Amino acid sequence: MPRFSAGARVYIVDLGKTGHVRIPWYVRYKEGEIERYCGAYANPEDLAYARHDRPKVDLYRVRLRQTDLWPDYDGEKRDTLDIEVYDHWLEPAGDEP
Amino acid sequence: MNDRKGRFVSHPDDDATVIEGHAGADYYALMTEATRQLLIERGLLIQSDIDAVIASLEAPRPEWGAMIVARAWRDDAYRARLLADGSGAAAEMGFRIKEAQLVVVENSPTLHNLVVCTLCSCYPRSLLGQPPWWYISKSYRARAVREPRRVLAELGLVIPPEVELRVHDSNADMRYLVLPMAPADSGTLDEAALAKLVTRDAMIGASLAGKDATMPFGRSKPHG
């Protein structure tokens, strides 16, 4: 059972991990909305080191507003960006750490 | 960048491996060739194994994606299945998506989609073949998420202010195909004729369909 449903507000954390991490810096510390649940996949952070016995992790697509990503964004306020984020990089929005 | 409490968070001085300007590219090319020779000498591989893999990598091409787009334009039920399950709908037409999932995103009069992979060069290779050179360039990867309207305008595609521009960072397990809008004057064409209006760049979101093979980025690398 995935932790988040479409439409849920989420916050993308910074786990400070090194190695084969697929969560780019520009979306960390940002808030967005779950666009869809994509299924469970092998974690690339393990896969890159041939750790094939680790459990799969839930993957979501998160939709963010460009103006939230870039304070000086010079496009339109309606512009958005969708990106895939694994469950362990997400917290429910509004939960102060 | 700032964290949720507004504190400045520094970016690590992290020079990740990149595709272009990769120092040592000659070294890796040499190592690849040496490894190939050793594997063959020791009987672990035969040349026809390697040829078969190369052939399967080279077989996919933008025309395959164009056939899917044309079908979606002509068949509403197929379009619905394509948007719900891209890999399944591609398989219906005989195209096996070898990456995890194909996500198809649909352009409309109020929404334009653009695909980029900021971290490397993820692309639906098993359907469209190898990505164009500009798709893997560092400048496209950086700017497509930062100032996408400027990038598209420089390519001759001005997105009107009332249209939402949605960028898809292909950063993990999904691969993306843009379903462009059918050209206004294409109503009487059959699927084969429609497919000819669908360019590779239109399926990335870098141009519109029907512009008679207009390739804003060009077909080949202009230098080097």
Side-chain angles (χ1 to χ4, degrees):
Chain A
M1 184 75 184
R3 192 156 60 111
F4 300 106
S5 321
R9 298 287 302 171
V10 290
Y11 174 72
I12 303 170
V13 299
D14 177 13
L15 296 178
K17 293 181 82 165
T18 55
H20 191 64
V21 167
R22 300 302 302 180
I23 311 302
W25 273 89
Y26 75 91
V27 297
R28 298 182 195 180
Y29 308 101
K30 305 294 182 188
E31 230 180 82
E33 185 177 304
I34 299 289
E35 188 266 339
R36 74 177 76 174
Y37 171 63
C38 300
Y41 295 91
N43 186 351
E45 297 150 30
D46 293 326
L47 208 54
Y49 302 97
R51 298 174 193 134
H52 297 290
D53 56 340
R54 303 295 168 93
K56 291 186 171 183
V57 288
D58 286 327
L59 180 67
Y60 302 89
R61 301 188 72 228
V62 178
R63 179 163 300 159
L64 301 105
R65 304 176 76 85
Q66 287 280 23
T67 49
D68 287 340
L69 287 173
W70 319 105
D72 61 346
Y73 183 71
D74 70 351
E76 298 296 323
K77 284 193 166 59
R78 67 183 84 245
D79 293 352
T80 50
L81 179 134
D82 288 6
I83 189 165
E84 297 157 40
V85 184
Y86 296 94
D87 184 85
H88 53 295
W89 290 83
L90 293 173
E91 284 176 4
D95 279 12
E96 287 294 322
Chain B
M1 66 183 75
N2 296 316
D3 70 11
R4 63 199 311 189
K5 290 178 177 161
R7 295 171 299 212
F8 180 72
V9 180
S10 67
H11 189 292
D13 186 15
D14 179 12
D15 187 16
T17 306
V18 293
I19 305 288
E20 72 185 310
H22 183 3
D26 292 346
Y27 169 83
Y28 288 110
L30 191 62
M31 287 294 283
T32 302
E33 178 56 18
T35 305
R36 185 189 71 83
Q37 287 182 18
L38 276 170
L39 289 169
I40 288 174
E41 269 175 33
R42 299 193 178 182
L44 297 168
L45 270 184
I46 53 175
Q47 184 59 42
S48 60
D49 293 336
I50 299 170
D51 293 345
V53 171
I54 291 173
S56 77
L57 289 174
E58 289 184 340
R61 52 187 196 274
E63 287 79 1
W64 291 6
M67 290 167 68
I68 289 175
V69 170
R71 172 71 52 90
W73 284 346
R74 272 293 162 268
D75 182 341
D76 286 341
Y78 182 76
R79 191 176 85 242
R81 293 197 297 279
L82 184 66
L83 295 172
D85 172 14
S87 301
E92 282 182 42
M93 295 188 63
F95 303 121
R96 191 165 78 83
I97 304 299
K98 295 175 184 168
E99 297 89 353
Q101 290 293 332
L102 182 69
V103 173
V104 179
V105 290
E106 184 180 31
N107 287 347
S108 77
T110 56
L111 175 68
H112 184 85
N113 294 282
L114 178 68
V115 181
V116 61
C117 172
T118 56
L119 294 178
C120 47
S121 57
C122 295
Y123 186 77
R125 290 164 199 257
S126 62
L127 181 67
L128 301 183
Q130 302 307 304
W133 67 269
W134 52 263
Y135 185 85
I136 67 176
S137 71
K138 281 197 280 191
S139 61
Y140 178 76
R141 287 159 47 199
R143 295 185 60 212
V145 294
R146 184 71 177 86
E147 44 180 16
R149 284 179 183 263
R150 283 177 188 274
V151 170
L152 288 176
E154 286 171 22
L155 300 166
L157 181 58
V158 175
I159 306 298
E162 65 273 19
V163 174
E164 174 183 342
L165 177 56
R166 182 174 297 156
V167 176
H168 301 268
D169 191 344
S170 181
N171 64 315
D173 282 298
M174 307 293 112
R175 296 293 178 271
Y176 296 91
L177 181 80
V178 174
L179 175 57
M181 281 191 289
D185 55 358
S186 63
T188 58
L189 300 176
D190 64 15
E191 265 184 50
L194 285 173
K196 292 197 170 70
L197 303 175
V198 185
T199 60
R200 176 197 66 197
D201 293 3
M203 291 181 282
I204 301 173
S207 76
L208 304 179
K211 285 203 149 183
D212 189 27
T214 297
M215 304 290 250
F217 295 90
R219 268 187 191 278
S220 57
K221 198 167 183 170
H223 47 79

